Short mmCIF file of all heavy atoms in Angstrom, two decimals:
data_model
loop_
_atom_site.label_atom_id
_atom_site.label_comp_id
_atom_site.label_asym_id
_atom_site.label_seq_id
_atom_site.Cartn_x
_atom_site.Cartn_y
_atom_site.Cartn_z
N ILE A 1 0.85 -1.17 -0.01
CA ILE A 1 -0.01 0.00 0.02
C ILE A 1 0.92 1.21 -0.03
O ILE A 1 1.81 1.30 0.81
CB ILE A 1 -0.90 -0.01 1.23
CG1 ILE A 1 -1.73 -1.25 1.30
CG2 ILE A 1 -1.77 1.27 1.23
CD1 ILE A 1 -2.44 -1.47 2.65
N GLU A 2 0.59 2.17 -0.85
CA GLU A 2 1.42 3.37 -0.91
C GLU A 2 0.45 4.58 -1.02
O GLU A 2 -0.48 4.56 -1.82
CB GLU A 2 2.35 3.35 -2.11
CG GLU A 2 3.44 4.36 -2.00
CD GLU A 2 4.59 4.10 -3.00
OE1 GLU A 2 4.63 2.99 -3.57
OE2 GLU A 2 5.37 5.00 -3.21
N ASN A 3 0.67 5.55 -0.11
CA ASN A 3 -0.21 6.72 -0.09
C ASN A 3 0.54 7.92 0.52
O ASN A 3 1.05 7.83 1.62
CB ASN A 3 -1.48 6.38 0.78
CG ASN A 3 -2.48 7.50 0.71
OD1 ASN A 3 -2.43 8.41 -0.05
ND2 ASN A 3 -3.48 7.35 1.59
N ASN A 4 0.59 9.02 -0.20
CA ASN A 4 1.21 10.25 0.27
C ASN A 4 2.65 10.04 0.83
O ASN A 4 3.04 10.58 1.83
CB ASN A 4 0.37 10.93 1.33
CG ASN A 4 -0.94 11.42 0.81
OD1 ASN A 4 -1.04 11.83 -0.36
ND2 ASN A 4 -1.97 11.42 1.62
N GLY A 5 3.45 9.23 0.14
CA GLY A 5 4.78 8.97 0.54
C GLY A 5 4.97 7.89 1.59
O GLY A 5 6.10 7.51 1.88
N LEU A 6 3.87 7.43 2.13
CA LEU A 6 3.92 6.36 3.16
C LEU A 6 3.82 5.00 2.38
O LEU A 6 2.92 4.85 1.54
CB LEU A 6 2.77 6.49 4.16
CG LEU A 6 2.57 5.33 5.12
CD1 LEU A 6 3.78 5.21 6.03
CD2 LEU A 6 1.32 5.52 5.93
N LYS A 7 4.68 4.12 2.67
CA LYS A 7 4.63 2.79 2.04
C LYS A 7 4.55 1.73 3.12
O LYS A 7 5.35 1.68 4.05
CB LYS A 7 5.87 2.56 1.17
CG LYS A 7 5.82 1.25 0.39
CD LYS A 7 7.04 1.14 -0.48
CE LYS A 7 6.93 -0.22 -1.24
NZ LYS A 7 8.09 -0.46 -2.03
N VAL A 8 3.54 0.86 3.01
CA VAL A 8 3.30 -0.23 3.94
C VAL A 8 3.17 -1.54 3.18
O VAL A 8 2.41 -1.62 2.25
CB VAL A 8 2.05 0.03 4.76
CG1 VAL A 8 1.85 -1.15 5.72
CG2 VAL A 8 2.08 1.33 5.50
N ASP A 9 3.98 -2.49 3.58
CA ASP A 9 3.88 -3.86 3.01
C ASP A 9 3.46 -4.80 4.14
O ASP A 9 4.13 -4.82 5.21
CB ASP A 9 5.19 -4.34 2.42
CG ASP A 9 5.62 -3.58 1.15
OD1 ASP A 9 4.72 -3.31 0.35
OD2 ASP A 9 6.78 -3.21 1.02
N ILE A 10 2.42 -5.58 3.94
CA ILE A 10 1.99 -6.58 4.86
C ILE A 10 1.93 -7.91 4.20
O ILE A 10 1.26 -8.07 3.16
CB ILE A 10 0.56 -6.17 5.44
CG1 ILE A 10 0.62 -4.83 6.08
CG2 ILE A 10 0.07 -7.27 6.43
CD1 ILE A 10 -0.74 -4.28 6.52
N PHE A 11 2.64 -8.91 4.74
CA PHE A 11 2.79 -10.17 4.05
C PHE A 11 3.11 -11.28 5.09
O PHE A 11 3.59 -10.95 6.16
CB PHE A 11 3.86 -10.13 2.96
CG PHE A 11 5.20 -9.68 3.47
CD1 PHE A 11 6.14 -10.62 3.80
CD2 PHE A 11 5.53 -8.34 3.60
CE1 PHE A 11 7.41 -10.28 4.27
CE2 PHE A 11 6.78 -7.97 4.08
CZ PHE A 11 7.70 -8.94 4.44
N PRO A 12 2.87 -12.52 4.76
CA PRO A 12 2.08 -13.04 3.64
C PRO A 12 0.61 -12.81 3.82
O PRO A 12 0.15 -12.50 4.93
CB PRO A 12 2.42 -14.54 3.69
CG PRO A 12 2.68 -14.86 5.10
CD PRO A 12 3.28 -13.61 5.68
N ASN A 13 -0.16 -12.95 2.78
CA ASN A 13 -1.58 -12.84 2.86
C ASN A 13 -2.18 -13.95 2.02
O ASN A 13 -2.03 -13.96 0.83
CB ASN A 13 -2.01 -11.46 2.30
CG ASN A 13 -3.49 -11.23 2.47
OD1 ASN A 13 -4.17 -11.98 3.20
ND2 ASN A 13 -3.99 -10.21 1.82
N PRO A 14 -2.83 -14.88 2.65
CA PRO A 14 -3.16 -14.95 4.08
C PRO A 14 -1.94 -15.42 4.94
O PRO A 14 -1.05 -16.08 4.40
CB PRO A 14 -4.28 -16.00 4.15
CG PRO A 14 -4.04 -16.89 2.98
CD PRO A 14 -3.43 -16.03 1.92
N ALA A 15 -2.00 -15.10 6.15
CA ALA A 15 -0.89 -15.51 7.12
C ALA A 15 -1.46 -16.45 8.11
O ALA A 15 -2.66 -16.40 8.47
CB ALA A 15 -0.32 -14.28 7.83
N GLN A 16 -0.64 -17.38 8.58
CA GLN A 16 -1.10 -18.37 9.58
C GLN A 16 -0.36 -18.20 10.92
O GLN A 16 -0.99 -18.42 11.96
CB GLN A 16 -0.86 -19.80 9.06
CG GLN A 16 -1.75 -20.09 7.88
CD GLN A 16 -1.56 -21.53 7.40
OE1 GLN A 16 -0.67 -22.24 7.89
NE2 GLN A 16 -2.32 -21.95 6.42
N ASN A 17 0.91 -17.89 10.93
CA ASN A 17 1.66 -17.86 12.16
C ASN A 17 2.30 -16.47 12.41
O ASN A 17 2.14 -15.93 13.47
CB ASN A 17 2.77 -18.91 12.18
CG ASN A 17 2.21 -20.32 12.16
OD1 ASN A 17 1.31 -20.62 12.89
ND2 ASN A 17 2.68 -21.14 11.27
N ILE A 18 3.01 -15.99 11.43
CA ILE A 18 3.71 -14.69 11.58
C ILE A 18 3.25 -13.75 10.49
O ILE A 18 3.20 -14.15 9.30
CB ILE A 18 5.25 -14.88 11.49
CG1 ILE A 18 5.76 -15.75 12.65
CG2 ILE A 18 5.94 -13.52 11.54
CD1 ILE A 18 5.61 -15.19 14.02
N LEU A 19 2.90 -12.53 10.88
CA LEU A 19 2.53 -11.50 9.95
C LEU A 19 3.65 -10.48 9.93
O LEU A 19 4.08 -9.98 10.94
CB LEU A 19 1.22 -10.82 10.42
CG LEU A 19 0.64 -9.78 9.51
CD1 LEU A 19 0.18 -10.38 8.18
CD2 LEU A 19 -0.52 -9.07 10.17
N ASN A 20 4.22 -10.24 8.74
CA ASN A 20 5.32 -9.32 8.58
C ASN A 20 4.77 -7.99 8.11
O ASN A 20 3.95 -7.91 7.20
CB ASN A 20 6.34 -9.85 7.49
CG ASN A 20 6.95 -11.12 7.97
OD1 ASN A 20 7.74 -11.15 8.89
ND2 ASN A 20 6.54 -12.19 7.36
N ILE A 21 5.27 -6.90 8.73
CA ILE A 21 4.83 -5.57 8.38
C ILE A 21 6.04 -4.68 8.17
O ILE A 21 6.91 -4.57 9.03
CB ILE A 21 3.94 -4.97 9.54
CG1 ILE A 21 2.74 -5.84 9.72
CG2 ILE A 21 3.53 -3.55 9.18
CD1 ILE A 21 1.90 -5.48 10.89
N LYS A 22 6.13 -4.15 7.01
CA LYS A 22 7.26 -3.22 6.65
C LYS A 22 6.68 -1.86 6.37
O LYS A 22 5.81 -1.71 5.50
CB LYS A 22 7.98 -3.77 5.37
CG LYS A 22 9.18 -2.97 5.01
CD LYS A 22 9.85 -3.55 3.79
CE LYS A 22 10.97 -2.67 3.30
NZ LYS A 22 11.57 -3.14 2.06
N VAL A 23 7.16 -0.85 7.14
CA VAL A 23 6.64 0.48 7.04
C VAL A 23 7.80 1.40 6.72
O VAL A 23 8.83 1.42 7.34
CB VAL A 23 5.99 0.94 8.40
CG1 VAL A 23 5.48 2.35 8.30
CG2 VAL A 23 4.87 -0.03 8.77
N GLU A 24 7.57 2.26 5.65
CA GLU A 24 8.58 3.25 5.28
C GLU A 24 7.99 4.62 5.41
O GLU A 24 6.78 4.88 5.20
CB GLU A 24 9.02 3.05 3.85
CG GLU A 24 9.77 1.71 3.64
CD GLU A 24 10.18 1.49 2.19
OE1 GLU A 24 10.19 2.45 1.40
OE2 GLU A 24 10.52 0.35 1.89
N ASN A 25 8.81 5.58 5.80
CA ASN A 25 8.44 6.99 5.93
C ASN A 25 7.42 7.26 7.01
O ASN A 25 6.49 8.05 6.84
CB ASN A 25 7.97 7.54 4.58
CG ASN A 25 8.99 7.38 3.50
OD1 ASN A 25 10.17 7.55 3.75
ND2 ASN A 25 8.52 7.03 2.28
N LEU A 26 7.52 6.57 8.11
CA LEU A 26 6.61 6.80 9.25
C LEU A 26 7.43 6.60 10.50
O LEU A 26 8.23 5.70 10.64
CB LEU A 26 5.47 5.80 9.22
CG LEU A 26 4.34 5.99 10.24
CD1 LEU A 26 3.63 7.30 10.03
CD2 LEU A 26 3.34 4.89 10.16
N GLY A 27 7.26 7.48 11.47
CA GLY A 27 8.00 7.42 12.72
C GLY A 27 7.50 6.28 13.60
O GLY A 27 7.37 5.16 13.15
N VAL A 28 7.14 6.58 14.85
CA VAL A 28 6.64 5.58 15.75
C VAL A 28 5.15 5.38 15.47
O VAL A 28 4.39 6.34 15.26
CB VAL A 28 6.82 6.06 17.23
CG1 VAL A 28 6.32 5.05 18.22
CG2 VAL A 28 8.35 6.32 17.48
N TYR A 29 4.71 4.13 15.43
CA TYR A 29 3.34 3.85 15.07
C TYR A 29 2.76 2.72 15.92
O TYR A 29 3.52 1.98 16.57
CB TYR A 29 3.22 3.49 13.59
CG TYR A 29 4.14 2.34 13.17
CD1 TYR A 29 3.62 1.02 13.21
CD2 TYR A 29 5.43 2.55 12.75
CE1 TYR A 29 4.40 -0.02 12.84
CE2 TYR A 29 6.23 1.50 12.36
CZ TYR A 29 5.72 0.22 12.42
OH TYR A 29 6.52 -0.83 12.05
N THR A 30 1.45 2.60 15.87
CA THR A 30 0.76 1.51 16.58
C THR A 30 -0.02 0.68 15.55
O THR A 30 -0.61 1.24 14.65
CB THR A 30 -0.25 2.07 17.59
OG1 THR A 30 0.43 2.89 18.57
CG2 THR A 30 -1.03 1.00 18.32
N ILE A 31 0.00 -0.60 15.75
CA ILE A 31 -0.76 -1.55 14.95
C ILE A 31 -1.82 -2.18 15.82
O ILE A 31 -1.51 -2.69 16.89
CB ILE A 31 0.12 -2.66 14.34
CG1 ILE A 31 1.22 -2.03 13.46
CG2 ILE A 31 -0.73 -3.69 13.55
CD1 ILE A 31 2.34 -2.98 13.19
N VAL A 32 -3.06 -2.12 15.36
CA VAL A 32 -4.18 -2.76 16.11
C VAL A 32 -4.87 -3.71 15.13
O VAL A 32 -5.16 -3.37 14.01
CB VAL A 32 -5.19 -1.70 16.66
CG1 VAL A 32 -6.33 -2.38 17.35
CG2 VAL A 32 -4.49 -0.71 17.52
N ILE A 33 -5.10 -4.96 15.62
CA ILE A 33 -5.82 -5.92 14.78
C ILE A 33 -7.13 -6.25 15.46
O ILE A 33 -7.18 -6.54 16.69
CB ILE A 33 -4.98 -7.20 14.58
CG1 ILE A 33 -3.70 -6.88 13.84
CG2 ILE A 33 -5.79 -8.30 13.89
CD1 ILE A 33 -2.78 -8.05 13.63
N HIS A 34 -8.23 -6.19 14.68
CA HIS A 34 -9.58 -6.57 15.16
C HIS A 34 -10.06 -7.72 14.31
O HIS A 34 -9.75 -7.82 13.11
CB HIS A 34 -10.57 -5.40 14.97
CG HIS A 34 -10.35 -4.27 15.88
ND1 HIS A 34 -9.48 -3.23 15.60
CD2 HIS A 34 -10.85 -4.00 17.13
CE1 HIS A 34 -9.50 -2.37 16.60
NE2 HIS A 34 -10.27 -2.84 17.53
N ASN A 35 -10.83 -8.61 14.90
CA ASN A 35 -11.43 -9.72 14.15
C ASN A 35 -12.69 -9.19 13.42
O ASN A 35 -13.11 -8.01 13.62
CB ASN A 35 -11.67 -10.93 14.97
CG ASN A 35 -12.74 -10.74 16.03
OD1 ASN A 35 -13.58 -9.83 16.01
ND2 ASN A 35 -12.70 -11.62 17.05
N ILE A 36 -13.33 -10.05 12.66
CA ILE A 36 -14.50 -9.65 11.91
C ILE A 36 -15.69 -9.29 12.77
O ILE A 36 -16.59 -8.55 12.37
CB ILE A 36 -14.89 -10.77 10.92
CG1 ILE A 36 -15.81 -10.28 9.83
CG2 ILE A 36 -15.46 -11.96 11.65
CD1 ILE A 36 -15.95 -11.20 8.68
N LEU A 37 -15.66 -9.63 14.06
CA LEU A 37 -16.70 -9.33 15.01
C LEU A 37 -16.46 -7.98 15.67
O LEU A 37 -17.25 -7.50 16.50
CB LEU A 37 -16.84 -10.41 16.07
CG LEU A 37 -17.14 -11.84 15.54
CD1 LEU A 37 -17.11 -12.84 16.66
CD2 LEU A 37 -18.46 -11.85 14.79
N GLY A 38 -15.29 -7.35 15.36
CA GLY A 38 -14.93 -6.06 15.96
C GLY A 38 -14.18 -6.16 17.23
O GLY A 38 -13.90 -5.17 17.85
N GLU A 39 -13.87 -7.38 17.66
CA GLU A 39 -13.12 -7.60 18.89
C GLU A 39 -11.64 -7.31 18.66
O GLU A 39 -11.05 -7.78 17.69
CB GLU A 39 -13.31 -9.01 19.42
CG GLU A 39 -14.73 -9.35 19.69
CD GLU A 39 -15.00 -10.86 19.87
OE1 GLU A 39 -14.24 -11.68 19.24
OE2 GLU A 39 -15.94 -11.21 20.60
N LYS A 40 -11.04 -6.60 19.61
CA LYS A 40 -9.62 -6.26 19.48
C LYS A 40 -8.77 -7.53 19.81
O LYS A 40 -8.92 -8.13 20.88
CB LYS A 40 -9.26 -5.14 20.47
CG LYS A 40 -7.85 -4.65 20.38
CD LYS A 40 -7.72 -3.48 21.36
CE LYS A 40 -6.37 -2.80 21.28
NZ LYS A 40 -6.28 -1.70 22.19
N MET A 41 -7.96 -7.94 18.86
CA MET A 41 -7.14 -9.13 19.01
C MET A 41 -5.81 -8.80 19.64
O MET A 41 -5.16 -9.61 20.25
CB MET A 41 -6.91 -9.83 17.67
CG MET A 41 -8.24 -10.17 16.94
SD MET A 41 -9.24 -11.35 17.90
CE MET A 41 -8.21 -12.80 17.81
N GLY A 42 -5.34 -7.59 19.45
CA GLY A 42 -4.03 -7.16 20.02
C GLY A 42 -3.61 -5.82 19.50
O GLY A 42 -4.16 -5.25 18.59
N GLU A 43 -2.57 -5.27 20.14
CA GLU A 43 -2.01 -3.95 19.82
C GLU A 43 -0.53 -4.03 19.97
O GLU A 43 0.00 -4.60 20.94
CB GLU A 43 -2.62 -2.90 20.72
CG GLU A 43 -2.15 -1.52 20.47
CD GLU A 43 -2.84 -0.40 21.27
OE1 GLU A 43 -4.07 -0.68 21.58
OE2 GLU A 43 -2.26 0.55 21.57
N TRP A 44 0.23 -3.49 18.99
CA TRP A 44 1.68 -3.53 19.01
C TRP A 44 2.23 -2.16 18.63
O TRP A 44 1.65 -1.47 17.80
CB TRP A 44 2.18 -4.56 17.98
CG TRP A 44 1.72 -5.93 18.29
CD1 TRP A 44 2.36 -6.93 18.96
CD2 TRP A 44 0.46 -6.54 17.89
NE1 TRP A 44 1.62 -8.07 19.05
CE2 TRP A 44 0.43 -7.85 18.40
CE3 TRP A 44 -0.68 -6.06 17.21
CZ2 TRP A 44 -0.67 -8.70 18.20
CZ3 TRP A 44 -1.73 -6.91 17.01
CH2 TRP A 44 -1.72 -8.19 17.50
N ASN A 45 3.37 -1.80 19.21
CA ASN A 45 4.01 -0.57 18.91
C ASN A 45 5.20 -0.78 17.98
O ASN A 45 6.14 -1.49 18.32
CB ASN A 45 4.51 0.15 20.21
CG ASN A 45 3.37 0.57 21.03
OD1 ASN A 45 2.32 1.04 20.55
ND2 ASN A 45 3.49 0.43 22.36
N SER A 46 5.13 -0.15 16.82
CA SER A 46 6.24 -0.13 15.85
C SER A 46 6.85 -1.50 15.62
O SER A 46 8.05 -1.65 15.55
CB SER A 46 7.34 0.86 16.28
OG SER A 46 6.82 2.17 16.32
N SER A 47 6.02 -2.52 15.53
CA SER A 47 6.50 -3.88 15.36
C SER A 47 6.57 -4.20 13.86
O SER A 47 5.81 -3.71 13.06
CB SER A 47 5.49 -4.86 16.04
OG SER A 47 5.95 -6.18 15.88
N ASN A 48 7.55 -5.05 13.49
CA ASN A 48 7.63 -5.50 12.11
C ASN A 48 7.30 -6.96 11.94
O ASN A 48 7.28 -7.48 10.81
CB ASN A 48 9.00 -5.18 11.49
CG ASN A 48 10.14 -5.80 12.25
OD1 ASN A 48 9.93 -6.61 13.13
ND2 ASN A 48 11.35 -5.40 11.92
N GLN A 49 7.03 -7.65 13.08
CA GLN A 49 6.54 -9.05 12.99
C GLN A 49 5.58 -9.27 14.14
O GLN A 49 5.84 -8.86 15.28
CB GLN A 49 7.68 -10.06 13.15
CG GLN A 49 8.46 -10.32 11.92
CD GLN A 49 9.32 -11.58 12.03
OE1 GLN A 49 9.63 -12.00 13.14
NE2 GLN A 49 9.58 -12.19 10.90
N ILE A 50 4.45 -9.87 13.81
CA ILE A 50 3.42 -10.14 14.78
C ILE A 50 3.09 -11.63 14.74
O ILE A 50 2.80 -12.18 13.69
CB ILE A 50 2.13 -9.31 14.50
CG1 ILE A 50 2.49 -7.82 14.61
CG2 ILE A 50 1.01 -9.67 15.42
CD1 ILE A 50 1.39 -6.88 14.18
N ASP A 51 3.06 -12.23 15.92
CA ASP A 51 2.70 -13.67 16.04
C ASP A 51 1.20 -13.75 16.11
O ASP A 51 0.57 -13.30 17.06
CB ASP A 51 3.32 -14.24 17.31
CG ASP A 51 3.00 -15.74 17.47
OD1 ASP A 51 2.22 -16.29 16.63
OD2 ASP A 51 3.50 -16.35 18.45
N ILE A 52 0.57 -14.27 15.08
CA ILE A 52 -0.87 -14.41 14.99
C ILE A 52 -1.34 -15.89 15.11
O ILE A 52 -2.47 -16.19 14.81
CB ILE A 52 -1.43 -13.76 13.73
CG1 ILE A 52 -0.88 -14.44 12.46
CG2 ILE A 52 -1.19 -12.25 13.70
CD1 ILE A 52 -1.57 -14.05 11.19
N SER A 53 -0.45 -16.75 15.54
CA SER A 53 -0.74 -18.21 15.55
C SER A 53 -1.88 -18.51 16.50
O SER A 53 -2.55 -19.52 16.31
CB SER A 53 0.49 -18.99 15.90
OG SER A 53 0.99 -18.62 17.22
N SER A 54 -2.12 -17.71 17.49
CA SER A 54 -3.24 -17.98 18.45
C SER A 54 -4.57 -17.36 18.00
O SER A 54 -5.60 -17.62 18.63
CB SER A 54 -2.86 -17.40 19.82
OG SER A 54 -2.80 -16.04 19.80
N PHE A 55 -4.63 -16.68 16.90
CA PHE A 55 -5.84 -16.06 16.42
C PHE A 55 -6.68 -17.10 15.73
O PHE A 55 -6.19 -17.97 15.03
CB PHE A 55 -5.55 -14.92 15.39
CG PHE A 55 -4.87 -13.71 15.98
CD1 PHE A 55 -4.46 -13.63 17.30
CD2 PHE A 55 -4.66 -12.63 15.20
CE1 PHE A 55 -3.87 -12.52 17.82
CE2 PHE A 55 -4.04 -11.48 15.70
CZ PHE A 55 -3.64 -11.43 17.02
N ALA A 56 -8.01 -17.03 15.90
CA ALA A 56 -8.89 -17.87 15.18
C ALA A 56 -8.85 -17.56 13.72
O ALA A 56 -8.49 -16.47 13.31
CB ALA A 56 -10.33 -17.72 15.69
N GLU A 57 -9.18 -18.51 12.89
CA GLU A 57 -9.14 -18.31 11.44
C GLU A 57 -10.35 -17.56 10.97
O GLU A 57 -11.23 -18.05 10.29
CB GLU A 57 -9.03 -19.64 10.72
CG GLU A 57 -7.70 -20.32 10.95
CD GLU A 57 -7.47 -21.52 10.05
OE1 GLU A 57 -8.08 -21.64 9.00
OE2 GLU A 57 -6.68 -22.37 10.44
N LEU A 58 -10.36 -16.30 11.32
CA LEU A 58 -11.39 -15.36 10.86
C LEU A 58 -10.72 -14.23 10.08
O LEU A 58 -9.52 -14.06 10.18
CB LEU A 58 -12.14 -14.75 12.05
CG LEU A 58 -12.92 -15.64 12.96
CD1 LEU A 58 -13.43 -14.87 14.14
CD2 LEU A 58 -14.15 -16.20 12.18
N SER A 59 -11.47 -13.51 9.31
CA SER A 59 -10.93 -12.34 8.65
C SER A 59 -10.63 -11.30 9.71
O SER A 59 -11.38 -11.09 10.65
CB SER A 59 -11.92 -11.77 7.65
OG SER A 59 -12.12 -12.69 6.59
N ASN A 60 -9.48 -10.61 9.58
CA ASN A 60 -9.06 -9.60 10.54
C ASN A 60 -8.80 -8.29 9.81
O ASN A 60 -8.47 -8.33 8.64
CB ASN A 60 -7.79 -10.07 11.28
CG ASN A 60 -7.98 -11.28 12.09
OD1 ASN A 60 -8.74 -11.27 13.04
ND2 ASN A 60 -7.34 -12.37 11.71
N THR A 61 -8.99 -7.23 10.51
CA THR A 61 -8.61 -5.89 9.95
C THR A 61 -7.44 -5.36 10.71
O THR A 61 -7.24 -5.62 11.89
CB THR A 61 -9.79 -4.91 10.05
OG1 THR A 61 -10.15 -4.72 11.45
CG2 THR A 61 -11.03 -5.38 9.26
N ILE A 62 -6.61 -4.65 10.01
CA ILE A 62 -5.37 -4.06 10.58
C ILE A 62 -5.45 -2.59 10.47
O ILE A 62 -5.68 -2.05 9.38
CB ILE A 62 -4.14 -4.60 9.84
CG1 ILE A 62 -4.08 -6.14 9.96
CG2 ILE A 62 -2.87 -3.95 10.38
CD1 ILE A 62 -2.95 -6.78 9.12
N ALA A 63 -5.21 -1.87 11.56
CA ALA A 63 -5.12 -0.39 11.54
C ALA A 63 -3.74 -0.01 11.99
O ALA A 63 -3.19 -0.53 12.96
CB ALA A 63 -6.17 0.18 12.52
N LEU A 64 -3.14 0.94 11.24
CA LEU A 64 -1.86 1.41 11.54
C LEU A 64 -1.97 2.93 11.79
O LEU A 64 -2.48 3.63 10.93
CB LEU A 64 -0.87 1.14 10.39
CG LEU A 64 0.57 1.39 10.60
CD1 LEU A 64 1.38 0.33 9.95
CD2 LEU A 64 0.95 2.75 10.09
N THR A 65 -1.53 3.42 13.00
CA THR A 65 -1.71 4.80 13.35
C THR A 65 -0.34 5.36 13.81
O THR A 65 0.31 4.75 14.62
CB THR A 65 -2.74 4.94 14.52
OG1 THR A 65 -3.90 4.30 14.12
CG2 THR A 65 -2.98 6.37 14.81
N GLU A 66 0.03 6.53 13.29
CA GLU A 66 1.23 7.18 13.73
C GLU A 66 1.00 7.91 15.04
O GLU A 66 -0.05 8.50 15.27
CB GLU A 66 1.71 8.20 12.66
CG GLU A 66 3.01 8.88 13.01
CD GLU A 66 3.52 9.79 11.87
OE1 GLU A 66 2.70 10.15 11.03
OE2 GLU A 66 4.72 10.08 11.88
N TYR A 67 2.00 7.83 15.92
CA TYR A 67 1.93 8.58 17.19
C TYR A 67 2.06 10.05 16.91
O TYR A 67 2.89 10.49 16.11
CB TYR A 67 3.08 8.20 18.15
CG TYR A 67 2.94 6.87 18.85
CD1 TYR A 67 4.02 6.08 19.10
CD2 TYR A 67 1.68 6.45 19.32
CE1 TYR A 67 3.87 4.88 19.75
CE2 TYR A 67 1.57 5.25 19.96
CZ TYR A 67 2.69 4.50 20.20
OH TYR A 67 2.58 3.27 20.87
N SER A 68 1.25 10.87 17.58
CA SER A 68 1.34 12.32 17.50
C SER A 68 2.37 12.78 18.44
O SER A 68 2.49 12.25 19.55
CB SER A 68 -0.02 12.95 17.83
OG SER A 68 -1.01 12.55 16.92
N THR A 69 3.14 13.80 18.07
CA THR A 69 4.11 14.37 18.98
C THR A 69 3.72 15.73 19.44
O THR A 69 2.94 16.38 18.91
CB THR A 69 5.50 14.40 18.34
OG1 THR A 69 5.41 15.10 17.09
CG2 THR A 69 6.03 13.03 18.07
#
């Protein structure tokens, strides 16, 4: 995904155990994953690998937010 100079790569898709996130041109950020029911599955700060092996096999949404200074 590329938007306004921000580049985000999330792979593999679909993922089973480890989700890799590569972010360019962004300082400190938070990643939040919700399942299809809207339940928060977890939150990580500026992480580039997330262990999702304990997540149920549902569709999940990922939000990435930059910290305000």
Side-chain angles (χ1 to χ4, degrees):
I1 303 167
E2 197 165 346
N3 187 10
N4 294 329
L6 172 65
K7 184 176 180 184
V8 179
D9 291 317
I10 301 173
F11 57 95
N13 186 11
Q16 293 182 355
N17 296 311
I18 298 294
L19 184 65
N20 297 289
I21 300 173
K22 182 179 176 187
V23 179
E24 294 179 15
N25 303 322
L26 186 64
V28 179
Y29 57 90
T30 300
I31 299 164
V32 179
I33 297 180
H34 289 89
N35 66 20
I36 198 166
L37 303 174
E39 300 166 331
K40 186 177 183 178
M41 303 299 292
E43 182 173 328
W44 300 265
N45 293 322
S46 299
S47 182
N48 58 8
Q49 279 196 336
I50 297 173
D51 181 357
I52 60 168
S53 61
S54 64
F55 292 5
E57 291 189 24
L58 296 173
S59 295
N60 296 295
T61 60
I62 300 172
L64 189 140
T65 306
E66 184 175 20
Y67 283 144
S68 299
T69 54

